[in-house]
Amino acid sequence: MSKTVALDIGLVVAGHGRHYIVETPEGGRLICHPRGKKSDCVVGDRVRWQASGDEGVIEHVEPRRNLLFRQDEWKVKSFAANLDQLLVLVAADPVFSESQLARALIAAECAGIPARIVLNKIDLPSSAAARERLAPYAAMGVEVLEVALKMRKDEARALLEAPLHGRATLVLGPSGTGKSTLINLLAPDAKAQVGDVSQALATGRHTTTSTQWYWLSGERSSALIDSPGFQEFGLRQIGAQRLPALMPDLRPYTSQCRFYNCTHLHEPDCGVRAALERGEISASRYRIYGEIASELVARQS
Ligand SMILES: Nc1nc2c(ncn2[C@@H]2O[C@H](COP(=O)(O)OP(=O)(O)O)[C@@H](O)[C@H]2O)c(=O)[nH]1
Ligand SMILES: [Mg+2]
Ligand SMILES: [Zn+2]
C-alpha cells in the first residue's frame, strides 16, 4: 500500500471476474480493479481505493463483519459480505429442493447471519404442498413469509417492508422462483442501478450473471443483493461434529446421546434418533442431516 495517500472508502456493489463496481459515499459508481493478482473482494465489501484515470484501484479491503459462502469439493464460492440477513426465496412452483434450502440456512447459521424464508406464488394451488414442506422450518423458528410477488403486489410489498427495512439482505433461491420479480417490485429503478458501467462489464467481457447490490430507496439504507443461482451447495467449511449445532431442530437433542462423540447416524441411545422416532424431528430434516454429515465425514477421512 502506498505511503500516506488518503484513500477513499467505497462499497462493492457488483463484481465481474476481476472487475468490480464500487459505489462512493456520494452515490457515484466506478469500475475498480484490485491491486496485484489477488481478487479477493466480494459484493458488500467496504474497500479503500484510489483513482487511476476514470477507473479506480482497490488498495485494501476493510475487515468483514461476516461472509456467506459455500465450499464445494474443489472450490470456495463467496456470495456476499457484511450482510444483515439472508432471505431464501422458494416458490410453490417450480418445486424447490429442500436440501438446498437447508444448506443455505446452515451456511447462514455458520456465518452468524439471521435468515428468513419467503414462499412465493401462493396464488398457485401447489402452494399447499410447499407450505407443508416448510412446516419443519417454521417449527424450528425460521420465519416463513408467504407472498405472491407478481399476483398480489401491494400485499407483498406491505409484508416485506418491515423485515427488509434498514438491512442489507442477500436473496438466494433457485431460478424461476421470482428473484427478479422481487427486485423489480421493491427497487423499481433496478435497471438504472445496474447502470451503464455494470452492464458494459456484464455483457462485454463476462457473460456470466453476477451478484448485484440494489438499494430499495434513495436514502440508501435498505438493500437487496441478488445472487446468481447455483447447482451445488457444499458445506465443507463445517466440521462434521459441528453440524448438529447449526441445525436448530437437532441441536437440543444432542445432549441426550449416550456418547459424547455420537454421529447420530447409528449409535445406540442417540437423543437425536429418539427424537426422530417420537416425531419431534422431521424425517426430511434427519435425511438431510445424514446426507450432509456423510459428505463432511468423507472429507475428513
Ligand atoms: N403465479 C405466479 N407467478 C409468479 C409470481 N411471481 C413471479 N412469477 C413468475 O415466475 C416466473 C419467474 O420469475 P422471475 O422473477 O424471473 O424468477 P427468477 O428466475 O428467480 O428471477 C416468471 O414467469 C414470473 O412471472 C407470483 O406471485 N405468482
Ligand atoms: Mg432472474
Ligand atoms: Zn446422537
Side-chain angles (χ1 to χ4, degrees):
M1 211 164 111
S2 49
K3 282 162 277 170
T4 52
V5 195
L7 297 169
D8 287 309
I9 189 101
L11 169 69
V12 177
V13 292
H16 307 268
R18 283 186 31 84
H19 310 279
Y20 297 94
I21 310 291
V22 170
E23 184 174 289
T24 67
E26 297 73 38
R29 291 187 173 195
L30 79 162
I31 297 174
C32 284
H33 306 277
R35 163 101 45 216
K37 285 249 161 58
K38 277 175 70 191
S39 79
D40 50 8
C41 55
V42 299
V43 169
D45 267 330
R46 268 41 183 208
V47 296
R48 297 277 169 185
W49 62 278
Q50 60 180 316
S52 161
D54 290 344
E55 305 194 337
V57 177
I58 296 170
E59 301 284 357
H60 171 75
V61 181
E62 296 284 298
R64 291 169 180 152
R65 203 148 51 87
N66 59 46
L67 174 70
L68 189 73
F69 66 101
R70 44 173 238 251
Q71 191 166 338
D72 302 337
E73 198 170 356
W74 303 113
K75 62 174 193 294
V76 177
K77 189 81 188 63
S78 295
F79 290 108
N82 302 317
L83 298 167
D84 294 306
Q85 84 186 323
L86 168 68
L87 194 155
V88 186
L89 185 65
V90 296
D93 179 79
V95 172
F96 62 90
S97 154
E98 198 191 323
S99 173
Q100 299 289 49
L101 165 66
R103 285 164 187 265
L105 295 178
I106 290 166
E109 185 87 26
C110 183
I113 300 165
R116 287 185 159 99
I117 298 171
V118 172
L119 170 62
N120 185 27
K121 310 196 194 181
I122 56 163
D123 53 296
L124 300 177
S126 50
S127 56
R131 187 173 295 124
E132 205 164 295
R133 294 179 73 212
L134 292 175
Y137 296 84
M140 74 188 203
V142 183
E143 189 178 7
V144 180
L145 297 158
E146 300 195 2
V147 292
L149 293 166
K150 190 176 148 192
M151 309 310 281
R152 299 182 208 156
K153 288 194 170 72
D154 292 341
E155 212 178 293
R157 216 184 270 115
L159 190 68
L160 293 171
E161 162 142 33
L164 298 182
H165 185 80
R167 299 192 168 102
T169 302
L170 176 74
V171 182
L172 285 186
S175 76
T177 52
K179 290 188 297 299
S180 300
T181 308
L182 174 71
I183 305 283
N184 291 323
L185 179 71
L186 299 176
D189 64 340
K191 277 223 174 65
Q193 289 193 44
V194 172
D196 298 339
V197 211
S198 193
Q199 224 127 46
L201 281 180
T203 55
R205 300 178 235 188
H206 304 274
T207 48
T208 49
T209 50
S210 68
T211 305
Q212 182 82 44
W213 179 290
Y214 297 98
W215 292 114
L216 300 188
S217 75
E219 294 144 43
R220 292 192 289 155
S221 57
S222 313
L224 284 180
I225 301 132
D226 186 16
S227 182
F230 46 83
Q231 299 301 318
E232 214 180 335
F233 201 127
L235 291 170
R236 287 169 167 80
Q237 68 267 37
I238 297 166
Q241 281 288 333
R242 188 162 171 233
L243 181 59
L246 302 174
M247 300 180 74
D249 47 350
L250 271 63
R251 187 163 51 208
Y253 300 106
T254 56
S255 60
Q256 299 169 15
C257 302
R258 189 205 300 183
F259 302 109
Y260 82 98
N261 58 351
C262 186
T263 65
H264 324 297
L265 296 172
H266 44 68
E267 292 87 343
D269 296 331
C270 168
V272 171
R273 290 198 301 143
L276 171 72
E277 270 152 40
R278 291 193 305 269
E280 290 164 25
I281 292 172
S282 86
S284 64
R285 288 282 297 171
Y286 182 74
R287 179 183 52 72
I288 289 167
Y289 167 74
E291 173 193 296
I292 300 170
S294 62
E295 285 171 21
L296 302 185
V297 168
R299 181 205 62 166
Q300 285 170 341
S301 60

